[in-house]
Amino acid sequence: MSDHDILRITGGEALTGDVLVRGAKNSIPKNMVAALLTDEPCTISNVAAVRDIEIVSGLIQLLGGSADRDGDVVAIHAANLHVPEAAELEPFARASRIPVLVCGPLLHRLGEAVIHMPGGCAIGDRPVDMHVEALRAFGAMIEERPDEIHLTVQGRLHGAKFALPYPSVGATEQVLLTAVLAEGDTELSNAALEPEILDLIAVLQKMGAIISVQPSRVIRITGVDRLRGFKHRSMPDRLEAASWAAAALATDGRISVLGARQADMMTFLNAFRGAGGEFEVDEDRITFWRASERIEPLLIETDVHPGFMTDWQPPLVTALTQANGISTLHETVYEDRLGYTKALVALGAQIQTFRQCLGPLPCRFGSRNHVHSAVIVGPTKLHGGELTVPDLRGGFSYVVAALTANGTSDIHGASLLDRGYERFREKLTSLGAHLH
Ligand code: EPU
């Protein structure tokens, strides 16, 4: 690991100032994949310079399209595409979940697609069974080979009526990106309705797709024969915004997140206020600070939208190590997302993890014996230490812990944060963090 990969932080500074949050890391890549559904040029603006976007640009180039950045605008043109070898997809699949989403566009345009078993963050098994079953329902023929799945279609994919066993974000996106050009109607029940998905629907609608969203998690799509290019300004990254909010709460600072949008963050804002935080919403920003002297304990249960997002959880839980009392966490989205709490315990936090569901929300993990709940006893003084970034949000939670701790911490593997946090070292320094 190079020196560049170590982030050394001496804690104790209250983070104060402005940070700019640009387009959402979990939205832009899907909109870039939508651009593969047309041979016309497409542009997306407000694009952050984060590694996940570079990865998807590289993927589009591998498929034969172009993806060029000019400032915060990415122009995509997929005039001609071809199906890559599975081995060529491997580095992309190892780095990201996005390659699995290009199947619909490739099947429509080339009659063939391939999935290399994907990578992503180390936060659970993250299978692709729902994606594959959805593609099968549209008429794709599936051939499983070691480490890859090969898909073909004879003629055109057709619309389908089915329900997801769980409202998966990725599987819902897979269905949208496939149904828009399939012949006939599609009805998807138990769909995920995250703001990033509504943003993808907005892009597809600009392209000429016919999609309606029912309040009861049902999405209806009528396939069209062709789609056109689009211009779109990306929605802001609500995960990064919440991460900075948690840093303001934990360090007793005051951070204005420029570009943050209230509507996407309602549930987080309620929890933030419940923890003794306060915020002010202006046209171009949300400002976060700690309202009371103490942080208050919380019960957090993660859930699909409009519930409390799983990606908001690690930085906020880290702030709760400083709360005055006992907080409880019930993670219902990923079965293995609490590994990061071990490192917090090594820094002095008092956190105990459990296999039981510590909250009333329906959950797939209690009966399957996964460690997915935690009790956090605060306040505990944290001290500096050695940390290794486990995944993107766990990594940011270590930054929050190091900022709160007495003494100096070395965070190894910090460049993983470049996947989803634009210029985070610069931002931390400008907020007054003591980086070495
Ligand atoms: N799942 C399956 N089978 C599937 C697909 C999903 O069992 O075929 C399960 C997963 O294992 C997980 C649950 O369903 O337990 C939810 O997964 P989902 O498909 O909703 O997540 P995703 O699309 O893979 C996106 C974000 C994640 C975010 C989740 C939940 C991207 C690139 N990733 O993942 O973001 O946590 O939705 O909102 O959009 C992050 O940004 O750090 C991150 C992990």
Side-chain angles (χ1 to χ4, degrees), residues 25-27 30 52 97-98 121 123 125-132 166-171 173 194 238-239 309-311 333-335 337 364-365 391-393:
K25 166 214 157 250
N26 286 351
S27 166
K30 298 29 172 327
D52 271 26
R97 295 279 286 179
I98 305 303
C121 282
I123 51 178
D125 263 355
R126 305 195 74 183
V128 292
D129 53 327
M130 289 187 220
H131 294 254
V132 174
Y166 178 81
S168 148
V169 172
E173 292 160 343
E194 265 58 9
R238 63 197 178 110
L239 283 54
M309 260 206 103
T310 172
D311 298 290
V333 179
Y334 290 116
E335 73 275 25
R337 198 170 208 171
R364 299 163 291 157
F365 308 137
D391 62 80
L392 189 56
R393 310 300 163 192

Coordinates of all heavy atoms in Angstrom, one line a residue, residues 25-27 30 52 97-98 121 123 125-132 166-171 173 194 238-239 309-311 333-335 337 364-365 391-393, ligand 1:
K25 N -23.2 9.5 -7.0 CA -22.4 8.3 -7.5 C -23.3 7.1 -7.8 O -23.0 6.3 -8.6 CB -21.4 7.9 -6.4 CG -20.8 6.6 -6.5 CD -20.6 6.0 -5.2 CE -20.5 4.5 -5.2 NZ -21.6 3.7 -4.7
N26 N -24.5 7.0 -7.1 CA -25.4 5.9 -7.3 C -26.4 6.2 -8.4 O -27.4 5.4 -8.6 CB -26.0 5.4 -6.0 CG -25.0 4.6 -5.2 OD1 -23.9 4.4 -5.7 ND2 -25.3 4.3 -3.9
S27 N -26.4 7.3 -9.0 CA -27.3 7.7 -10.0 C -26.6 7.8 -11.4 O -27.1 7.2 -12.4 CB -28.0 9.0 -9.7 OG -28.7 9.5 -10.7
K30 N -26.0 4.8 -13.7 CA -27.2 4.1 -14.3 C -27.6 5.0 -15.5 O -28.1 4.5 -16.5 CB -28.3 4.0 -13.3 CG -28.2 3.2 -12.1 CD -26.9 3.0 -11.4 CE -26.7 2.4 -10.1 NZ -27.6 2.5 -9.1
D52 N -15.9 5.8 -9.4 CA -17.0 4.9 -10.0 C -17.4 5.4 -11.4 O -17.8 4.6 -12.2 CB -18.1 4.8 -9.0 CG -17.9 3.7 -8.1 OD1 -16.8 3.3 -7.8 OD2 -18.9 3.1 -7.5
R97 N -20.7 -2.7 -9.5 CA -21.9 -3.5 -9.8 C -22.5 -3.1 -11.2 O -23.4 -3.7 -11.6 CB -23.0 -3.2 -8.7 CG -22.7 -3.6 -7.3 CD -22.9 -5.1 -7.1 NE -24.3 -5.4 -7.0 CZ -24.8 -6.6 -6.9 NH1 -23.9 -7.6 -6.8 NH2 -26.1 -6.8 -6.8
I98 N -22.0 -2.1 -11.8 CA -22.6 -1.5 -13.0 C -22.6 -2.5 -14.2 O -23.6 -2.5 -14.9 CB -22.0 -0.1 -13.3 CG1 -22.1 0.8 -12.1 CG2 -22.7 0.5 -14.6 CD1 -23.5 1.0 -11.6
C121 N -18.6 -3.5 -3.1 CA -18.1 -3.3 -1.7 C -18.2 -4.7 -0.9 O -19.0 -5.5 -1.3 CB -19.0 -2.3 -1.0 SG -18.7 -0.6 -1.4
I123 N -19.7 -5.9 1.6 CA -20.7 -5.7 2.6 C -21.8 -6.8 2.5 O -22.9 -6.5 2.8 CB -21.3 -4.3 2.5 CG1 -21.8 -4.0 1.1 CG2 -20.4 -3.2 3.1 CD1 -22.4 -2.6 1.0
D125 N -23.0 -10.8 0.5 CA -22.8 -11.6 -0.7 C -23.1 -10.9 -2.0 O -22.4 -11.1 -3.0 CB -23.8 -12.8 -0.6 CG -23.1 -14.0 0.0 OD1 -21.9 -13.9 0.2 OD2 -23.8 -15.0 0.3
R126 N -24.1 -10.1 -2.0 CA -24.5 -9.3 -3.2 C -24.7 -10.1 -4.4 O -24.0 -9.9 -5.4 CB -23.5 -8.1 -3.4 CG -23.4 -7.3 -2.1 CD -22.7 -6.0 -2.4 NE -23.6 -5.0 -3.1 CZ -23.3 -3.8 -3.5 NH1 -22.0 -3.4 -3.3 NH2 -24.1 -3.0 -4.1
P127 N -25.5 -11.1 -4.4 CA -25.8 -12.0 -5.6 C -26.5 -11.2 -6.7 O -27.0 -10.1 -6.5 CB -26.7 -13.1 -5.0 CG -27.4 -12.5 -3.9 CD -26.4 -11.5 -3.3
V128 N -26.6 -11.8 -7.9 CA -27.3 -11.2 -9.0 C -28.5 -12.0 -9.5 O -29.0 -11.9 -10.6 CB -26.3 -10.9 -10.2 CG1 -25.3 -9.9 -9.9 CG2 -25.7 -12.2 -10.7
D129 N -29.0 -12.9 -8.6 CA -30.1 -13.8 -9.0 C -31.3 -13.1 -9.5 O -31.9 -13.5 -10.5 CB -30.4 -14.7 -7.8 CG -30.7 -14.0 -6.5 OD1 -30.1 -12.9 -6.3 OD2 -31.6 -14.4 -5.7
M130 N -31.6 -11.9 -8.8 CA -32.9 -11.2 -9.3 C -32.7 -10.6 -10.6 O -33.6 -10.5 -11.4 CB -33.2 -10.1 -8.3 CG -33.7 -10.6 -6.9 SD -34.2 -9.2 -6.0 CE -33.6 -9.6 -4.4
H131 N -31.4 -10.2 -10.9 CA -31.1 -9.6 -12.2 C -31.3 -10.7 -13.3 O -32.0 -10.5 -14.3 CB -29.7 -9.1 -12.3 CG -29.4 -8.0 -11.4 ND1 -29.2 -6.7 -11.9 CD2 -29.2 -7.9 -10.1 CE1 -28.9 -5.9 -10.9 NE2 -29.0 -6.6 -9.7
V132 N -30.8 -11.8 -13.0 CA -30.8 -12.9 -14.0 C -32.2 -13.4 -14.2 O -32.7 -13.6 -15.4 CB -29.9 -14.1 -13.6 CG1 -30.0 -15.3 -14.5 CG2 -28.4 -13.6 -13.5
Y166 N -37.6 -9.0 -3.3 CA -37.2 -7.9 -2.4 C -37.0 -6.7 -3.3 O -36.5 -6.8 -4.4 CB -35.8 -8.3 -1.7 CG -35.3 -7.2 -0.8 CD1 -35.8 -7.1 0.5 CD2 -34.3 -6.4 -1.2 CE1 -35.3 -6.1 1.3 CE2 -33.8 -5.4 -0.4 CZ -34.3 -5.2 0.9 OH -33.8 -4.3 1.7
P167 N -37.3 -5.5 -2.8 CA -37.2 -4.3 -3.7 C -35.8 -3.9 -3.9 O -35.3 -2.9 -3.4 CB -38.0 -3.2 -2.9 CG -38.6 -3.8 -1.7 CD -37.9 -5.2 -1.5
S168 N -35.0 -4.7 -4.6 CA -33.6 -4.4 -4.9 C -33.5 -3.2 -5.9 O -34.2 -3.1 -6.9 CB -33.0 -5.6 -5.6 OG -32.0 -5.3 -6.5
V169 N -32.6 -2.3 -5.5 CA -32.3 -1.1 -6.4 C -31.8 -1.6 -7.7 O -32.3 -1.2 -8.8 CB -31.3 -0.2 -5.7 CG1 -30.9 1.0 -6.6 CG2 -31.9 0.4 -4.4
G170 N -30.8 -2.4 -7.7 CA -30.1 -2.8 -9.0 C -31.1 -3.6 -9.9 O -31.2 -3.4 -11.1
A171 N -31.9 -4.5 -9.3 CA -32.8 -5.3 -10.1 C -33.9 -4.5 -10.7 O -34.3 -4.7 -11.8 CB -33.3 -6.5 -9.2
E173 N -33.5 -1.3 -11.5 CA -32.9 -0.6 -12.6 C -32.7 -1.6 -13.8 O -32.9 -1.1 -15.0 CB -31.5 -0.1 -12.2 CG -31.7 1.0 -11.1 CD -30.5 1.3 -10.3 OE1 -29.6 0.5 -10.2 OE2 -30.4 2.4 -9.7
E194 N -36.2 4.3 -4.9 CA -35.2 5.2 -4.5 C -35.2 6.5 -5.4 O -35.5 6.3 -6.6 CB -33.8 4.6 -4.5 CG -33.3 3.9 -3.2 CD -34.2 2.8 -2.6 OE1 -35.2 2.4 -3.3 OE2 -34.0 2.4 -1.5
R238 N -27.0 12.3 -2.2 CA -27.6 12.4 -0.8 C -26.8 11.5 0.2 O -26.9 11.7 1.4 CB -29.0 12.0 -0.8 CG -29.3 10.6 -1.2 CD -30.7 10.3 -1.6 NE -30.9 8.9 -2.0 CZ -31.6 8.0 -1.3 NH1 -32.2 8.4 -0.2 NH2 -31.7 6.8 -1.8
L239 N -26.0 10.6 -0.3 CA -25.1 9.8 0.6 C -23.9 10.6 1.1 O -23.6 10.6 2.3 CB -24.7 8.5 -0.1 CG -25.7 7.4 -0.2 CD1 -26.9 7.8 -0.9 CD2 -25.0 6.3 -1.0
M309 N -31.7 5.0 4.8 CA -30.8 4.3 3.8 C -29.6 3.6 4.5 O -29.0 4.2 5.4 CB -30.1 5.4 3.0 CG -30.7 5.5 1.6 SD -29.4 6.2 0.6 CE -29.0 4.7 -0.3
T310 N -29.3 2.4 4.1 CA -28.2 1.7 4.6 C -26.9 2.5 4.5 O -26.0 2.4 5.4 CB -28.1 0.3 4.0 OG1 -26.9 -0.3 4.5 CG2 -28.0 0.3 2.5
D311 N -26.7 3.2 3.5 CA -25.4 3.9 3.3 C -25.3 5.1 4.2 O -24.2 5.7 4.4 CB -25.2 4.4 1.9 CG -25.2 3.2 0.9 OD1 -24.3 2.5 0.9 OD2 -26.2 3.0 0.2
V333 N -30.8 -4.2 5.2 CA -30.6 -4.2 3.7 C -29.4 -5.2 3.4 O -29.5 -6.0 2.5 CB -30.3 -2.8 3.2 CG1 -30.0 -2.8 1.7 CG2 -31.5 -1.9 3.5
Y334 N -28.3 -5.1 4.1 CA -27.2 -6.0 3.9 C -26.9 -6.8 5.1 O -27.0 -6.4 6.2 CB -25.9 -5.1 3.6 CG -25.9 -4.4 2.3 CD1 -25.9 -3.0 2.2 CD2 -26.0 -5.1 1.1 CE1 -25.9 -2.4 1.0 CE2 -26.0 -4.5 -0.1 CZ -26.0 -3.1 -0.1 OH -26.0 -2.4 -1.3
E335 N -26.6 -8.1 4.8 CA -26.5 -9.0 5.9 C -25.2 -8.9 6.7 O -25.0 -9.5 7.7 CB -26.7 -10.5 5.4 CG -25.6 -11.1 4.6 CD -25.6 -10.7 3.1 OE1 -26.2 -9.7 2.8 OE2 -25.1 -11.5 2.3
R337 N -23.0 -5.8 7.2 CA -22.5 -4.5 7.0 C -21.9 -3.9 8.4 O -21.7 -2.7 8.5 CB -23.6 -3.6 6.5 CG -23.0 -2.3 6.0 CD -23.8 -1.4 5.2 NE -23.0 -0.6 4.3 CZ -23.4 0.1 3.3 NH1 -24.7 0.3 3.2 NH2 -22.6 0.8 2.5
R364 N -34.8 -10.0 6.5 CA -34.5 -11.3 5.9 C -33.4 -12.0 6.7 O -33.1 -13.2 6.5 CB -34.0 -11.2 4.5 CG -35.0 -10.6 3.5 CD -34.4 -10.0 2.3 NE -33.5 -8.9 2.5 CZ -32.5 -8.5 1.8 NH1 -32.2 -9.2 0.7 NH2 -31.8 -7.4 2.1
F365 N -32.8 -11.3 7.7 CA -31.5 -11.8 8.2 C -31.6 -12.5 9.6 O -30.8 -13.3 10.0 CB -30.5 -10.7 8.3 CG -30.3 -10.0 7.0 CD1 -30.2 -8.6 7.0 CD2 -30.3 -10.7 5.8 CE1 -30.1 -7.9 5.8 CE2 -30.2 -10.0 4.6 CZ -30.0 -8.6 4.6
D391 N -14.9 -0.8 3.2 CA -15.8 -0.4 2.1 C -16.0 1.1 2.1 O -15.5 1.7 3.1 CB -17.1 -1.2 2.2 CG -17.9 -0.8 3.4 OD1 -18.6 0.2 3.4 OD2 -17.9 -1.6 4.4
L392 N -16.7 1.6 1.1 CA -16.8 3.0 1.0 C -17.3 3.7 2.2 O -16.7 4.7 2.8 CB -17.7 3.3 -0.2 CG -17.8 4.7 -0.7 CD1 -16.4 5.3 -1.1 CD2 -18.7 4.8 -2.0
R393 N -18.5 3.3 2.7 CA -19.2 4.0 3.8 C -18.5 3.7 5.1 O -18.4 4.5 6.0 CB -20.7 3.7 3.8 CG -21.4 3.8 2.5 CD -21.3 5.2 2.0 NE -21.7 5.2 0.5 CZ -21.6 6.2 -0.3 NH1 -21.0 7.4 0.1 NH2 -21.9 6.1 -1.6
Ligands
EPU1 N1 -29.9 -8.7 -3.8 C1 -30.1 -10.1 -4.0 N2 -30.1 -10.5 -5.3 C2 -30.0 -9.6 -6.4 C3 -29.8 -8.2 -6.1 C4 -29.8 -7.8 -4.8 O1 -30.2 -10.9 -3.1 O2 -30.0 -10.0 -7.5 C5 -29.9 -8.3 -2.3 C6 -28.5 -7.7 -1.9 O3 -27.7 -8.8 -1.6 C7 -28.9 -6.8 -0.8 C8 -30.2 -6.3 -1.2 O4 -30.8 -7.1 -2.2 O5 -29.0 -7.6 0.4 C9 -30.2 -4.9 -1.7 O6 -29.4 -4.7 -2.8 P1 -29.7 -3.7 -4.0 O7 -29.8 -4.5 -5.2 O8 -30.9 -2.9 -3.5 O9 -28.4 -2.8 -4.0 P2 -27.5 -2.5 -5.2 O10 -28.3 -2.0 -6.4 O11 -26.5 -3.5 -5.5 C10 -27.3 0.1 -4.6 C11 -26.2 1.0 -4.3 C12 -25.6 0.7 -2.9 C13 -26.8 0.8 -1.9 C14 -27.9 -0.1 -2.3 C15 -29.2 0.1 -1.4 C16 -25.2 1.4 -6.4 C17 -24.0 1.3 -7.4 N3 -25.1 0.8 -5.3 O12 -26.7 -1.2 -4.6 O13 -24.6 1.7 -2.6 O14 -26.3 0.5 -0.6 O15 -28.3 0.2 -3.7 O16 -29.7 1.4 -1.5 O17 -26.1 2.1 -6.7 C18 -22.6 2.5 -1.8 O18 -22.9 3.6 -2.4 O19 -21.6 2.5 -1.0 C19 -23.5 1.4 -2.0 C20 -23.1 0.2 -1.5

